[in-house]
Amino acid sequence: MATENGGAAAAQLDQQTAQQVAAVLGPDVASFEQLVQALLSTQNEVRSQAEKVFGACKQHQADACVQRLVHVLKNSQQLELRGLCAVLLRKALTSDADNKTWKSLTQPTQQGMKTELLTLIKDEQNKQTAKMVCDTVSDVGAMLLEEQQWPELLPFMFQCVQSGDDTLLERVLRIFAQLVVSIEMTLSPYLATLHNVFGQSLQSQNVDIRNAALRATCSFISSLEKKSERDKFQDLVPSMLNCLGTALNQGDEATAQETLGMFIEIGEEHPTFLRKNLIEIVNAILTVTEAANLEASTRQLASEFLVTLTEAREKAPGMMRKLPQFMGKLFHALMCFLLDIDDEPEWHAADREEDEGIGNGELFDVGLEGLDRLAIALGGNAVMPIANQILPAFLQDQDWRKRHSALMTLAQIAEGCMKVMSKAISWTVDICVTGLRDPHAKVRWAACQTVGQLSTDLGPDFQEQEHARIVPTLLSAMDDVNEPRVQAHATAAVVNFSEDCEEDILAPYLDALVSKLLVLLQSPRNIVREGALTSLASVADSSKEYFEKYYSVVMPILVNILQTAGDKSLRLLRAKAIECISLVGMAVGKEKFGPDSKAIMEMLMRLQQQEMEDDDPTASYLLQAWARICKCLSNDFLPYLPVVMPPLLASARLETDVSIKYLDDEDEDEDEEEEVETLIIGDRKICIRTSTLEEKSTACSMLCCYVEELQEGFFPYIEEIVQLFVPLLRFAFHEEVRSTVASGMPELLKAAKSAVEKGCGKDAAWVKGMLDFMLGPLLEAIDKEPEALIVVSQVEAIGKLVACYGEGLDQNQMVQIFGCLKKALEASAERRKEREGRKESEDFDEEEAEAIEEENEEEDDVSDAVCECLDEMLKKFRAAVMPLVEQLLPFFAQMLEPSRSSSEHRIAICLIDSVVEYGSDGGATLKYFNSFVPVLLNNTTSEDADIRQCSAYGLGACAQVYGEHFAPVCKDALGKLMQIIQHPQARSSDYEMATENAVSALGKFCEFQSAAVDASGIVDTAGLMAFWLSQLPIKADKTEAKVAHGQLCRLLESGDARVVGKDNANLPQVASVLCKILAEGTAVVSEEHRNKLIAILNKVLQTLPQEAVHAQHAQLPQKAQQVLEAAASGRYQ
């Protein structure tokens, strides 16, 4: 088969290339050397042609090609060519899949290659070329040793070790360092020997041997999987550390940096390996971090090692918190990194946000990142005491850099310390307010940055507690006309502040904010105008209907910017005007925005149809603006879809921009691009353009917005988007894309079903086919998904698909769904188990326990999503699905164990509620009665309000479905519910939902357990009914309100005497309750029941004496009084 493929490939080789291959591999060896020379050409055409010919040589005449590479490598007079041949030889022999090139070589050529490579190890005189040969030997050895196809290699290497030749020793140490990464098992029998070799070499006076031994030792420590094998190298750590000290003492910072890089690798892979020498290592490397006389790169790597150790929570939980003195020193060192900043005039004059880093030295960004990571890794309990000690001195220092550092530090640690910092919000605001009044502009800028970050990390508490100080101070900062950068950053802080701020809090400041931002729109500086637009958009979005009063003033100004900002320098300003228009429109609603929408849409459509440069932000802003306007206009947006959809679909279809290169490849563009994320895997570098991914993610999100808003109106695009979304369920490069498309599946199916039902779609078979097309890939995606939060989105999507069109599922699909849910629960349980294993660490502490608890919250979300999915299954299929549900009950039973979290208890009880309520037809769940009911009874007194709520709900469901079987526990259950309702804090915000569910449950006791209630001795049914009536209406729990108020309607319609009471004694109370219910509107009662309750109220009022009506009127809230007045006069509809 290989011969046939080779023949086919040869047949495809064009005649010219075939002639060139024959020439370069012919008798004249110099021709091949010329080909290699051409591969280095700076002329693209020459280089491309040479690459084509070389590729043909390798593919069609591999034996001759590799032999010529070795020849040039050995004999060329040009070092550059020899080095390139070493690289080309390595790639030719090892880089293709399944070692295809190596296997295509004849046996004599293979043997010759191995012999030549070993000879080159001994004979190559040039140091750099020798390194490249070692790399080739390492890669070929890794490929062959496990298959026992190079038996000469290891004996040769040990001979070199024993030869007494320092050059050979260095070279084989380099090879050992690389071999262990790939074939550690093959080298395991030689560990004792290698330990001695490394130990002796680390003591060598030859710096090259020391460094090679250090590389090899670190590589073995990082690569060996078995702790017992790694520990054999434990005693070499002091010698390894000495290598760092020696390099620094000799001023060899390049070697010191390489050494630090190796320590970082060990810290990432096996941090506990360093525990025995931890204090010695940390002190030494902390000294390097603090050494101002060293290069910034050296100090950066030293800090990276220390921060990496603090982040090793999974492998060494709490280890670094055992060194509190170290943490304080590292924190201080990172703060001092922030002093690497200058006050450059260009910073003040720059007119772009991305220029905010002007004046920042190499260490500044390192310090920012390090503080952020340190706080997240160590937690607020460890970090805040340190911050409290260090920050005051920096804040009071005469050097503006230190005040700037303190503010930036506060911003950076907020995310990791949010729980502790939330208890000291006033203290943080004191610092910010003082900073906003600082005489130095850069300090004021930093204060704006900190306000914005704290608004995000500590919101909404930050806004609720300190709006009275923060907003006026930001307004003053926006008056800083001499420092436009500060003005602009103050507007950015307003954006963060308003995003998590309740509209009622923001409302009193709107006059001042809006007027100030409109003034800033007249600024001569683009950065200020752009900031003002973004801030105005955010304020409108957060203030919602409060913004209506400003619409008539604001919208014309925005439209004017849209019409006049045509210059290239104003493109971002125009884009932000588009954003602001769409958010203002969405805030004020269709009624206000509608009259202007047509003209604005025409302007936006004209803009979209213009040719735009690749770096023009207008296109991406338009994508999001269309979706917002669609939300505002709803179906009135449909005529614009033909214009909006093509570019949106194009963005959603963008291919991932990924390139894979060898680390030793020359990169024509040495500068790192901001929008490219780089991953290093082995000897290869994977570059991913993140801007492409973000555009794709945004487009997918926008498509979901359209289908959700337009439903059947979106019919022409549904099928196309389904076909686009399904493959993206496994889109490996972006989590948000996977989550978004999963969430979009149910909306697409719902829209398709609605289109069919309303006669604008195809037919039911089309909807069924769509469900089938989605379901299999979605289940497979859940099975393969590594991120718990994405699993949550995917499982939720399954539940919504069932709710939408569960009737379209066949039995096999049902079995597959439950199998998938089971796997999701198993995977979640396994992740929990792994975290529990961290508790066995000798460094485990309270902070780490809190961290594990936070991580397990993601698993609670998974369990919650599965529970909700089962709830939808039970609603749709009731008792018929119980055999499948029962397979998953053991997972939830475990969640009820006392050691499990309150969230897990709640989830398990919620499933009990669903099983009882929907799965009990034909007595299908009676066998669980003695298991379920005690759980519900015991948890009605839980301190957790959510657990109380679902337990009370469950008792009501049991009373309704279990009939006489429930009678023996009725008295106990009744007492528990009364206990909830009569609790001193029953109507507090924390417990109101639990209380209302208990009230609703009492109604079910009255209706379905009247005999048992009468026999309870606590109260008879008539008395309980009167008590139940006195607790109505239900207002907080909207869902349960509709249930209870619907029940009341049903009982009143049936003329149940227990409700109206003996001699209609309860009628005044009934009238009062009905007025209160109707005053709350359809939020608490269905439209059907509302109409019936109005009729009942009218009848009741006709029965009651006027004095009784007046008495009730006086006791009612204002809204309910208005209902009563209208009903009494016959005007209430």
Side-chain angles (χ1 to χ4, degrees), residues 997-1043:
N997 275 259
V999 170
S1000 182
L1002 285 186
K1004 294 170 184 173
F1005 275 60
C1006 293
E1007 186 171 0
F1008 301 105
Q1009 294 291 331
S1010 59
V1013 170
D1014 290 337
S1016 68
I1018 299 176
V1019 63
D1020 61 14
T1021 306
L1024 184 61
M1025 193 77 82
F1027 178 76
W1028 175 65
L1029 195 62
S1030 72
Q1031 298 299 312
L1032 297 178
I1034 290 173
K1035 293 189 288 187
D1037 189 335
K1038 309 301 184 191
T1039 302
E1040 206 54 30
K1042 291 181 179 179
V1043 172

Side-chain angles (χ1 to χ4, degrees), residues 268 369 656-665 667 669-691 693 733:
E268 289 175 340
E369 182 186 345
T656 309
D657 189 350
V658 179
S659 60
I660 302 175
K661 304 176 182 178
Y662 279 91
L663 290 175
D664 52 13
D665 282 347
D667 195 340
D669 184 8
E670 293 294 333
D671 296 330
E672 290 188 12
E673 297 182 63
E674 289 185 5
E675 296 182 339
V676 173
E677 183 177 336
T678 302
L679 304 174
I680 306 298
I681 301 177
D683 61 351
R684 305 188 190 193
K685 179 169 66 173
I686 301 175
C687 301
I688 306 171
R689 187 167 295 281
T690 54
S691 58
L693 295 177
F733 299 102

Side-chain angles (χ1 to χ4, degrees), residues 300-313:
Q300 173 185 349
L301 286 166
S303 70
E304 175 64 27
F305 169 75
L306 296 171
V307 173
T308 296
L309 284 186
T310 66
E311 291 178 318
R313 284 172 38 188

Side-chain angles (χ1 to χ4, degrees), residues 221-222 224-228 230-231 233-234 237 263-279 281 305 308-320 837-838 840-844:
I221 294 166
S222 297
L224 292 171
E225 290 297 323
K226 294 181 181 177
K227 183 178 183 298
S228 59
R230 290 196 302 273
D231 288 347
F233 296 87
Q234 186 78 56
V237 172
F263 271 98
I264 290 169
E265 188 174 343
I266 294 173
E268 289 175 340
E269 296 294 330
H270 304 295
T272 55
F273 177 83
L274 303 171
R275 183 183 278 118
K276 290 183 180 178
N277 306 90
L278 188 62
I279 294 177
I281 294 169
F305 169 75
T308 296
L309 284 186
T310 66
E311 291 178 318
R313 284 172 38 188
E314 291 188 10
K315 297 177 180 178
M319 184 172 78
M320 298 306 289
R838 281 155 51 187
E840 303 303 317
S841 167
E842 61 184 86
D843 301 307
F844 188 76

Side-chain angles (χ1 to χ4, degrees), residues 593-788:
F593 179 66
D596 296 323
S597 62
K598 185 176 181 180
I600 289 171
M601 292 296 289
E602 287 175 356
M603 281 187 276
L604 296 180
M605 286 191 293
R606 286 196 298 272
L607 193 57
Q608 178 160 295
Q609 290 163 355
Q610 293 177 9
E611 287 287 332
M612 295 187 195
E613 296 179 6
D614 290 343
D615 62 345
D616 190 335
T618 306
S620 63
Y621 276 77
L622 272 170
L623 281 184
Q624 298 179 61
W626 291 130
R628 297 190 196 104
I629 295 172
C630 175
K631 277 186 173 292
C632 176
L633 300 182
S634 192
N635 286 334
D636 289 351
F637 188 83
L638 288 172
Y640 306 108
L641 284 180
V643 175
V644 171
M645 290 301 293
L648 182 59
L649 287 168
S651 293
R653 288 195 182 98
L654 284 172
E655 295 293 331
T656 309
D657 189 350
V658 179
S659 60
I660 302 175
K661 304 176 182 178
Y662 279 91
L663 290 175
D664 52 13
D665 282 347
E666 291 188 13
D667 195 340
E668 294 179 7
D669 184 8
E670 293 294 333
D671 296 330
E672 290 188 12
E673 297 182 63
E674 289 185 5
E675 296 182 339
V676 173
E677 183 177 336
T678 302
L679 304 174
I680 306 298
I681 301 177
D683 61 351
R684 305 188 190 193
K685 179 169 66 173
I686 301 175
C687 301
I688 306 171
R689 187 167 295 281
T690 54
S691 58
T692 303
L693 295 177
E694 291 303 324
E695 182 178 347
K696 186 182 187 77
S697 176
T698 299
C700 290
S701 180
M702 298 302 100
L703 288 171
C704 289
C705 288
Y706 286 131
V707 71
E708 182 179 356
E709 188 65 38
L710 301 175
Q711 285 295 299
E712 68 277 0
F714 205 59
F715 165 72
Y717 305 97
I718 291 174
E719 195 165 325
E720 183 179 4
I721 295 170
V722 169
Q723 292 172 348
L724 171 65
F725 273 17
V726 166
L728 294 178
L729 288 166
R730 300 286 303 281
F731 188 70
F733 299 102
H734 203 282
E735 294 175 8
E736 195 63 35
V737 170
R738 301 199 301 277
S739 177
T740 298
V741 298
S743 300
M745 297 290 176
E747 291 299 331
L748 286 162
L749 189 70
K750 181 181 174 186
K753 184 182 177 186
S754 178
V756 171
E757 290 172 349
K758 296 185 179 180
C760 55
K762 296 185 179 180
D763 54 24
W766 176 63
V767 181
K768 165 63 176 165
M770 190 176 295
L771 174 63
D772 294 345
F773 185 71
M774 293 173 175
L775 186 62
L778 183 53
L779 295 175
E780 185 180 345
I782 294 171
D783 190 35
K784 304 294 183 184
E785 177 57 54
E787 298 296 329

Side-chain angles (χ1 to χ4, degrees), residues 374-395:
L374 191 71
I376 291 171
L378 295 177
N381 290 330
V383 170
M384 282 308 295
I386 298 169
N388 286 331
Q389 288 179 355
I390 298 176
L391 286 176
F394 272 63
L395 287 165

